[in-house]
Amino acid sequence: MTNPVRVEHDAKDLSLAPKGKLRIEWAEAEMPVLRLIRQRFEREQPLKGVRISACLHVTTETANLAITLKAGGADLYLCASNPLSTQDDVVACLVTDHGIPTFAQKWEDNVTYYRHIEACIGHKPQITMDDGADLVSALHKEHADLIPGVIGGTEATTTGVIRLRSMQANGVLKFPIVAVNEALTKHMFDNRYGTGQSTLDGIMRATNFLLAGRNVVVAGYGWCGRGFAMRARGLGANVIVTEIDPLKALEALMDGYRVMPMVEAAPIGDILVTLTGDLNVIDGQHLAAMKDGAIVANSGHFNDEINISAMERDAASKRRIREFVDEYRYPDGHRVYLLGEGRLVNLAAAEGHPAAVMDMSFANQALSVEFMVRHARELEKKVYDVPTEIDRGIARLKLEAMGVAIDKLTPQQEKYLASWESGT
Ligand SMILES: NC(=O)c1ccc[n+]([C@@H]2O[C@H](COP(=O)([O-])OP(=O)(O)OC[C@H]3O[C@@H](n4cnc5c(N)ncnc54)[C@H](O)[C@@H]3O)[C@@H](O)[C@H]2O)c1
C-alpha cells in the first residue's frame, strides 16, 4: 500500500521504504499481543481523531505501535527520542506506506533532534508519548500556551519517569501521565531481558569482541543491570558489579558477582557498561586509570553516564576506528574505546530490544493511551501507574500467544488464601 498523500516528514532517504516494510513485517510476527490490540482498535476506533505526538526510538517495533495507534483512529506525529536510535528505513516506510508524519534521521545532531521535537509539538498534541520525557519537558518549558490542549501523556522509561516525578514534586507538571515503565509487563521484561540481550548485541556488533574470560564491569544492578550481568555471565564473562544502593549490591553479591567501587573496577575491567540513569558514573579519574584497550559503553537513557567531556579533555588524540567505536589515546599511551558516542549502545550499534519483548511494552503503551483518552479528565496532574488490569491482562495474553497454560485457583484455594484462621 503506498500512500498517495505525501505527509510532512524529515526522513534521510525515502527510497529505503521497501527495506523498512519488510523489517517492520518481521517484527510484527513477534508481536502477537500488539496485533490483537490493533485488530480491536480497527473495529472500535477508540482514538478517533485524537492528535498524538510521540517521541520514541524509531525502530521496527515502534513502527508497529505507530501503525496500531493509527489503526485506532489516531492522528499521529512521530519523532526520535535519541539522535542515534533511528532506523532510517523505518522512517521511510512510515512516511511512504503509512502516511505517518515522522521526523527522525540516524546521526542527527542536537539542533536537528530538538527541531524534530518542535515539529511534533507543532501538531498541537492532545496526547504525548515519551521515552525520556524530552517532549513533555519541551512542551512545559517552551510551549506553555499549548498545554491546555493536552489531556495527558505516557512515559516509557525509568529516566523519564524520574524526571516526571520530579516535575510533579516541584508542582510544575501540568497534565497527567501514565508511567508505562512501571508496569510489571514492561520493566520486568523489557528492561531486564530486552536490555540484557540487546546491550550485548550492540557491544558485539560494534566491536566483534570475545566476552568469554573477560572482566565485564556492570555499573548499576537495577532491572537493566541485572539483565545485562546475567547475559554477560552466560557468555563466559567474569562479571563485576558496581552499585550505590546497599540492597542492590547485596543482591548482586548473592547472585554470585564480585562487587566493588568503580575506582577499583576501572583498572581491571575489559568492558565497562553503565546502566544506571545517573551522571558521570564512569568519571575522568576512572577513565585515566583504565587498562590499555578497555571498552566503555552506556545503555542508560542519556549519554551522560560516562564523562565524555573528561575523555575529550584528557585524551591526547582521538580517532574513529570502526563505525561505532571511538579510540581515545591518553598521554601515557593507554587507549580507551567509547562505543556509540556514549548513547544507548543497544539502539545505536544494534537494533534495540527484540520485538517479542517490545510486544508487551508497546501493548502497555497502546492500552495506556486508550486509558488516557477515556479517563484523563478524571485524573490529577500526576504520574500514574498503569492500571493493574491492563498489566495482568497483557501477561495473560502474552502467555496465551506463547502457547503456555497455567493453573487456576480452586474455590478451596481461593478461600484458603483469603482466610487467616487456619494455621498449624
Ligand atoms: N538501553 C535501553 O534500551 C533501556 C531500556 C530500559 C531502560 N533504560 C534506561 O536504563 C537506565 C536504568 O534503568 P533501570 O530500569 O535498570 O533503573 P533501576 O532504577 O532499576 O536501576 C538503576 C540502578 O543504578 C544504580 N545506580 C545509580 N547511580 C549509580 C552509580 N553512581 N553507580 C552505580 N550504580 C548506580 C541504582 O542504585 C539502581 O540500582 C535508565 O536510564 C533507563 O531509562 C534503557
Side-chain angles (χ1 to χ4, degrees):
M1 175 194 67
T2 299
N3 195 309
V5 185
R6 176 59 56 82
V7 293
E8 243 193 297
H9 66 272
D10 190 6
K12 188 169 278 171
D13 180 358
L14 289 181
S15 74
L16 297 172
K19 180 177 172 212
K21 184 171 189 283
L22 291 174
R23 292 182 58 247
I24 291 168
E25 182 186 325
W26 179 255
E28 189 198 355
E30 285 279 277
M31 305 182 87
V33 179
L34 193 64
R35 247 190 347 260
L36 282 175
I37 294 170
R38 187 185 302 172
Q39 287 157 11
R40 179 172 67 73
F41 274 16
E42 263 160 4
R43 286 194 309 275
E44 298 178 5
Q45 294 289 293
L47 311 178
K48 194 164 180 51
V50 178
R51 287 190 308 281
I52 300 179
S53 292
C55 179
L56 303 169
H57 300 298
V58 186
T59 62
T60 53
E61 296 79 17
T62 303
N64 278 292
L65 172 64
I67 294 164
T68 301
L69 298 172
K70 193 172 176 195
D75 175 5
L76 175 72
Y77 269 47
L78 176 64
C79 66
S81 58
N82 186 289
L84 282 199
S85 62
T86 298
Q87 297 171 3
D88 290 314
D89 54 345
V90 169
V91 179
C93 176
L94 285 174
V95 170
T96 310
D97 297 339
H98 298 279
I100 296 175
T102 307
F103 304 83
Q105 293 196 19
K106 188 159 181 131
W107 296 107
E108 65 194 17
D109 59 19
N110 267 18
V111 174
T112 313
Y113 176 75
Y114 281 102
R115 186 160 48 75
H116 288 162
I117 290 183
E118 286 295 313
C120 281
I121 290 176
H123 185 43
K124 301 195 171 63
Q126 294 164 292
I127 296 279
T128 62
M129 298 177 76
D130 254 312
D131 188 324
D134 279 348
L135 177 61
V136 167
S137 166
L139 254 173
H140 279 71
K141 283 197 213 136
E142 280 126 39
H143 298 276
D145 54 312
L146 295 180
I147 286 181
V150 184
I151 58 175
T154 66
E155 169 53 54
T157 197
T158 313
T159 286
V161 174
I162 291 171
R163 292 177 83 190
L164 292 162
R165 290 220 169 104
S166 157
M167 288 173 78
Q168 179 186 323
N170 286 296
V172 296
L173 183 65
K174 295 279 185 279
F175 49 82
I177 302 275
V178 175
V180 168
N181 184 69
E182 304 308 86
L184 295 175
T185 45
K186 199 279 183 181
H187 65 254
M188 272 175 70
F189 303 93
D190 170 319
N191 300 29
R192 183 164 40 172
Y193 302 111
T195 312
Q197 179 169 320
S198 63
T199 300
L200 274 169
D201 187 16
I203 293 169
M204 292 194 293
R205 289 199 209 191
T207 62
N208 197 22
F209 209 66
L210 181 76
L211 271 95
R214 293 300 180 33
N215 287 338
V216 171
V217 178
V218 180
Y221 202 62
W223 288 103
C224 294
R226 280 191 208 108
F228 177 67
M230 186 192 341
R231 296 308 184 226
R233 177 157 67 185
L235 284 176
N238 300 309
V239 176
I240 297 166
V241 171
T242 73
E243 252 296 346
I244 46 102
D245 178 335
L247 278 170
K248 301 279 179 59
L250 202 53
E251 187 186 2
L253 200 64
M254 296 213 181
D255 283 345
Y257 303 112
R258 279 189 288 168
V259 176
M260 61 185 77
M262 182 59 80
V263 72
E264 286 173 30
I268 56 175
D270 295 300
I271 304 176
L272 303 95
V273 185
T274 50
L275 308 103
T276 70
D278 197 2
L279 181 74
N280 295 340
V281 176
I282 296 183
D283 213 343
Q285 52 159 332
H286 307 130
L287 291 152
M290 282 179 190
K291 49 163 115 158
D292 183 32
I295 291 172
V296 291
N298 167 51
S299 210
H301 187 77
F302 286 121
N303 61 336
D304 47 18
E305 301 207 15
I306 300 165
N307 189 342
I308 299 170
S309 319
M311 295 183 90
E312 297 281 339
R313 183 194 64 213
D314 298 341
S317 65
K318 174 187 171 185
R319 62 176 173 151
R320 179 147 297 178
I321 189 159
R322 284 167 66 97
E323 191 179 6
F324 295 105
V325 187
D326 289 330
E327 177 191 83
Y328 288 79
R329 186 185 288 271
Y330 281 71
D332 67 359
H334 85 279
R335 291 159 297 178
V336 177
Y337 296 102
L338 173 68
L339 306 192
E341 299 182 353
R343 300 197 186 271
L344 309 132
V345 70
N346 60 332
L347 282 144
E351 295 172 66
H353 297 355
V357 91
M358 294 314 292
D359 188 26
M360 288 188 280
S361 306
F362 286 163
N364 273 294
Q365 283 280 22
L367 296 180
S368 295
V369 167
E370 182 186 29
F371 171 82
M372 199 44 101
V373 169
R374 294 216 161 111
H375 299 285
R377 315 233 178 256
E378 302 143 34
L379 302 177
E380 294 174 55
K381 295 165 185 173
K382 285 184 177 170
V383 180
Y384 287 86
D385 285 351
V386 173
T388 314
E389 318 79 76
I390 292 183
D391 203 357
R392 296 188 76 80
I394 289 170
R396 211 172 293 119
L397 286 176
K398 188 71 178 173
L399 277 173
E400 263 172 51
M402 294 172 85
V404 177
I406 59 170
D407 287 321
K408 280 199 179 72
L409 287 174
T410 63
Q412 186 193 23
Q413 288 169 335
E414 264 184 50
K415 190 166 166 220
Y416 175 77
L417 290 174
S419 70
W420 58 271
E421 290 95 341
S422 37
T424 33

